[in-house]
Amino acid sequence: MSERGARSRADINPAHLTALHAGTAASCTLTEALAIDHTVLLRNAIPHADDELLRVVAGAQALGILKRMTTIGAALAERTDAIDIEQLAHHPSDTVRGWACFQIAARQAPDPVSLLEQLRGFADDEHFGVREWVWMAARPALVADLARSIDALTGWTADPSANVRRFASEALRPRGVWASHIAALKEHPSQGEPILEPLRSDPSRYVQDSVANWINDAAKTRPDWALGLCARWRAESSTPETVRITGRALRSIT
């Protein structure tokens, strides 16, 4: 395995794959994360897992990765008394911490404000994979109460952490990655402006790329909105950050 992580399954160092399955190492790339057998990892991360949980996880292994994580999280949520969320939330394995995100989302009533409070730490996780799992786990509840979610996420745009600010933008992208589209934001993307406006000159490229991708998502159904927003931002803010965001945001239509 290279220092930067394996780019193909064949490149994964066998010792590293063993450590991934043991839950003692973190994945370095998406390829490595996708190579994990969740049943093996579960046996090592939760030695007292019952037979039914093992059966569910074994069945989930055949699902797409997002459905797999959602299914495992729901199964873990049914066993909250037996499986300590805090233990999973601080586990060395990024995949196990990802399970915890979906576990919390599955057991939490669909109140976006409360859910976001519980997931904030994952949004600022040191691992790129956990930062992706957490917005995917939160997204269904956020979409179900869009107005309150946008209001809550707007507050996150002022967070000192670029990871948290990026979550604020990424969680409700109209199209997103691996996630269901949000019809309301595809047709009426102006609803998302309270989140986007504070980030239009964000100093972090991590955040800039998310904001640009949000606008690019919406541009596929509402190019008029995207063009208008970017023209206004360029007129009101001539910072290099805004120029970079707007240039990337319009890549599909200009």
Side-chain angles (χ1 to χ4, degrees):
M1 183 184 68
S2 70
E3 182 179 351
R4 303 181 70 177
R7 300 296 173 181
S8 71
R9 176 66 184 263
D11 291 335
I12 303 176
N13 185 303
H16 182 56
L17 184 59
T18 297
L20 290 173
H21 281 130
T24 58
S27 62
C28 299
T29 62
L30 177 60
T31 296
E32 293 180 3
L34 294 178
I36 294 171
D37 184 320
H38 288 234
T39 307
V40 176
L41 178 58
L42 180 76
R43 289 182 183 275
N44 289 315
I46 310 174
H48 59 283
D50 59 48
D51 290 342
E52 176 60 18
L53 178 57
L54 288 166
R55 185 192 66 77
V56 171
V57 174
Q61 187 67 29
L63 302 174
I65 186 60
L66 179 54
K67 288 185 178 180
R68 187 186 315 166
M69 295 293 286
T70 302
T71 299
I72 293 172
L76 292 171
E78 293 177 358
R79 295 159 174 80
T80 299
D81 292 339
I83 297 173
D84 184 359
I85 290 179
E86 285 301 310
Q87 177 186 353
L88 301 186
H90 296 95
H91 198 277
S93 167
D94 54 287
T95 298
V96 173
R97 298 202 300 279
W99 291 347
C101 295
F102 287 91
Q103 180 185 19
I104 290 169
R107 68 188 289 266
Q108 172 66 37
D111 169 14
V113 176
S114 176
L115 179 60
L116 287 171
E117 289 175 355
Q118 294 183 62
L119 293 177
R120 180 183 285 269
F122 298 98
D124 201 22
D125 194 276
E126 63 183 6
H127 195 277
F128 69 92
V130 178
R131 297 196 299 270
E132 297 301 321
W133 291 132
V134 66
W135 72 255
M136 293 183 203
R139 188 172 168 100
L142 299 182
V143 173
D145 195 343
L146 205 53
R148 290 188 69 204
S149 298
I150 290 171
D151 184 63
L153 290 171
T154 299
W156 284 34
T157 63
D159 197 276
S161 170
N163 293 335
V164 175
R165 300 196 304 275
R166 190 257 188 180
F167 177 98
S169 172
E170 197 72 13
L172 291 178
R173 278 180 53 183
R175 292 174 181 266
V177 179
W178 292 358
S180 298
H181 293 185
I182 305 175
L185 293 179
K186 287 169 63 177
E187 296 303 321
H188 304 287
S190 59
Q191 294 179 76
E193 289 182 21
I195 295 171
L196 302 177
E197 290 285 349
L199 302 176
R200 69 182 186 181
S201 290
D202 196 278
S204 166
R205 288 203 167 200
Y206 191 47
V207 179
Q208 292 170 24
D209 287 347
S210 180
V211 173
N213 288 338
W214 202 111
I215 299 169
N216 183 62
D217 279 358
K220 294 171 183 175
T221 46
R222 288 293 309 276
D224 57 325
W225 172 83
L227 288 166
L229 179 75
C230 289
R232 177 170 62 79
W233 281 9
R234 287 169 175 169
E236 296 175 353
S237 173
S238 59
T239 66
E241 293 82 6
T242 300
V243 171
R244 182 175 185 273
I245 289 171
T246 55
R248 292 178 60 83
L250 300 178
R251 63 187 182 272
S252 296
I253 56 177
T254 58

